[in-house]
């Protein structure tokens, strides 16, 4: 039954019941209308309106659920769907919900595809910049250090002291360039694997930010695809950055463990926490990376009690 005939039928049912009561009930209407008759008529009208409202609310409830979902749906949180009504749900409402669910399927697929392209292009650009910093800037600064060393060895005081200061400044700049290279492209991830990369990452953050970082990595983790390992690394990197810059945290726990069908990364800090409405570009980026790897990202936080980031990456199925 279409929505039109459902609404028509509900109204006809209420009006038919009211007419039947008027026909068979021992009620008459005088001219002028008596007070008791007016009370009965107003009461009957109220009952009829309440019944009509209740029936219409029941009949249009799927549209209300659809409206609420449309107002809150987020493509970075996939899987939000409306249940399709049964045979009594009305053909038009059922088709509308099915079309909306199908539209969400297409949008999520298109969003995942476009995000994958953007993130892959971003990683490629990071790799190119890191390579140029290492090959061009790093080598140039190394050559400057050698020249300064030779000049300082041949110079007399106080020029030698100034050259030594220039060496220290150049050496600090070279260390910063190397840190940027590691941040842009974790070479240790390609060379030594995920656990070594996360160990190096947490050690660097503890050294440069003063955070007390506690690591807990399971042994014998299953082999993951390169893209999945990169997603795990980037999510851990962004979580540590948020803890150091925005959460005012003092202690961070980073764990990596295996389950029967997945590898789970958890980063927990003791900072001030965040509100769901305050998710910034960093957290949105983590959600996009999770979609890229087919992973599930869960962020739980209560203001004043810290934040926990949990990323569950499914392991490849054995063929």
């Amino acid at each position: 039954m279409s929505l039109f005939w459902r609404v028509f039928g509900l109204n006809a049912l209420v009006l038919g019941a009211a007419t039947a009561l008027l026909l068979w009930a021992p009620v008459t209407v005088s001219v002028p209308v008596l007070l008791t008759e007016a009370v009965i008529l107003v009461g009957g009208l109220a009952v009829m309106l309440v019944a009509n409202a209740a029936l219409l609310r029941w009949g249009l409830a799927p549209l209300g659920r659809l409206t609420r979902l449309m107002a809150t749906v987020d493509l970075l949180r996939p899987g939000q769907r409306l249940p399709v009504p049964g045979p009594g749900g009305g053909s038009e409402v059922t088709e509308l919900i099915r079309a909306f669910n199908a539209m969400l399927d297409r949008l999520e697929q298109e969003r995942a595809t476009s995000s994958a392209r953007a993130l892959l292009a971003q990683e490629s650009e990071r790799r190119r910049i890191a390579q140029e910093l290492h090959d061009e800037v790093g080598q140039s600064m190394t050559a400057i250090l050698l020249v300064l060393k030779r000049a300082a060895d041949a110079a007399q005081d106080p020029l030698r002291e100034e050259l030594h200061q220039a060496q220290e400044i150049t050496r600090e700049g070279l260390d910063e360039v190397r840190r940027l290279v590691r941040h842009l492209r974790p070479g240790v991830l390609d060379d030594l694997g995920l656990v070594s990369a996360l160990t190096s990452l947490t050690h660097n953050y503890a050294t440069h930010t003063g955070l007390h970082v506690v690591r807990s990595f399971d042994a014998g983790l299953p082999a993951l695809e390169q893209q999945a390992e990169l997603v795990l690394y980037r999510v851990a990197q962004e979580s540590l950055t948020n803890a150091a810059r925005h959460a005012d945290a003092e202690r961070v726990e980073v764990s990596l463990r295996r389950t029967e069908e997945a590898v789970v990364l958890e980063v927990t800090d003791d900072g001030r926490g965040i509100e769901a409405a305050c998710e910034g570009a960093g957290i949105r980026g983590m959600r996009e990376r999770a979609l890229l790897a087919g992973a599930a990202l869960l962020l739980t936080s209560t203001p004043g009690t810290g934040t926990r980031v949990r990323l569950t990456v499914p392991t490849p199925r054995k063929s």
Side-chain angles (χ1 to χ4, degrees):
M1 184 183 298
S2 68
L3 182 61
F4 169 79
W5 287 111
R6 283 169 57 83
V7 173
F8 179 81
L10 292 174
N11 286 324
L13 177 64
V14 172
L15 292 175
T19 302
L21 286 175
L22 290 175
L23 290 176
W24 286 289
V27 177
T28 60
V29 179
S30 304
V31 179
V33 180
L34 299 177
L35 178 60
T36 55
E37 296 173 346
V39 170
I40 293 174
L41 289 175
V42 171
L45 177 62
V47 171
M48 183 175 63
L49 292 176
V50 170
N52 189 37
L55 291 173
L56 285 177
R57 178 179 291 274
W58 171 76
L60 300 178
L63 291 180
R65 292 194 297 269
L66 177 62
T67 302
R68 289 191 294 271
L69 179 59
M70 292 174 67
T72 59
V73 68
D74 187 353
L75 295 181
L76 293 181
R77 294 177 173 87
Q80 302 178 72
R81 299 293 185 272
L82 274 177
V84 178
S91 60
E92 293 174 345
V93 174
T94 300
E95 290 304 317
L96 179 60
I97 292 177
R98 284 177 177 168
F100 181 73
N101 288 342
M103 182 189 69
L104 287 182
D105 291 337
R106 293 194 304 271
L107 289 177
E108 287 179 0
Q109 182 62 35
E110 292 172 2
R111 177 63 182 265
T113 302
S114 61
S115 296
R117 292 173 181 167
L119 291 173
L120 290 175
Q122 183 186 76
E123 290 297 333
S124 177
E125 186 67 9
R126 283 172 176 255
R127 187 184 301 109
R128 185 188 66 81
I129 294 174
Q131 192 69 33
E132 290 187 359
L133 284 174
H134 180 270
D135 294 344
E136 302 295 334
V137 180
Q139 291 183 8
S140 297
M141 296 183 73
T142 302
I144 292 173
L145 277 175
L146 295 176
V147 172
L148 288 173
K149 183 178 184 304
R150 288 196 299 268
D153 292 341
Q156 301 294 327
D157 289 331
L159 180 59
R160 177 182 299 174
E161 183 64 25
E162 293 180 358
L163 290 173
H164 283 161
Q165 292 179 1
Q167 278 183 283
E168 290 302 318
I169 293 173
T170 305
R171 187 174 291 109
E172 291 176 359
L174 181 59
D175 291 340
E176 183 64 19
V177 169
R178 289 171 177 168
R179 188 187 68 81
L180 288 174
V181 169
R182 289 194 299 270
H183 184 81
L184 288 171
R185 184 61 187 175
V188 66
L189 181 62
D190 298 328
D191 299 335
L192 301 178
L194 179 61
V195 173
S196 297
L198 290 178
T199 301
S200 175
L201 176 69
T202 52
H203 176 75
N204 289 336
Y205 267 85
T207 301
H208 290 92
T209 65
L211 285 173
H212 178 54
V213 182
V214 179
R215 295 183 294 267
S216 175
F217 301 150
D218 285 355
L221 292 172
L224 297 173
E225 296 179 355
Q226 182 179 8
Q227 191 63 47
E229 290 189 346
L230 184 59
V231 168
L232 285 164
Y233 181 88
R234 291 300 187 198
V235 169
Q237 187 180 48
E238 183 64 31
S239 300
L240 289 170
T241 300
N242 289 338
R245 292 183 181 177
H246 308 299
D248 295 332
E250 297 180 358
R251 174 188 172 90
V252 181
E253 297 181 7
V254 182
S255 67
L256 189 68
R257 66 179 188 275
R258 63 178 302 173
T259 62
E260 293 182 359
E261 299 180 349
V263 173
V264 181
L265 169 73
E266 282 194 4
V267 182
T268 307
D269 65 62
D270 61 353
R272 60 188 180 187
I274 61 173
E275 296 181 1
C278 298
E279 289 191 2
I283 296 177
R284 304 285 292 182
M286 287 195 291
R287 295 194 185 280
E288 289 183 349
R289 290 184 181 278
L291 290 179
L292 177 61
L297 180 72
L298 177 62
L299 190 147
T300 56
S301 177
T302 303
T305 61
T307 303
R308 171 175 293 179
V309 178
R310 177 188 174 99
L311 180 69
T312 304
V313 179
T315 54
R317 295 183 178 179
K318 297 180 180 180
S319 55

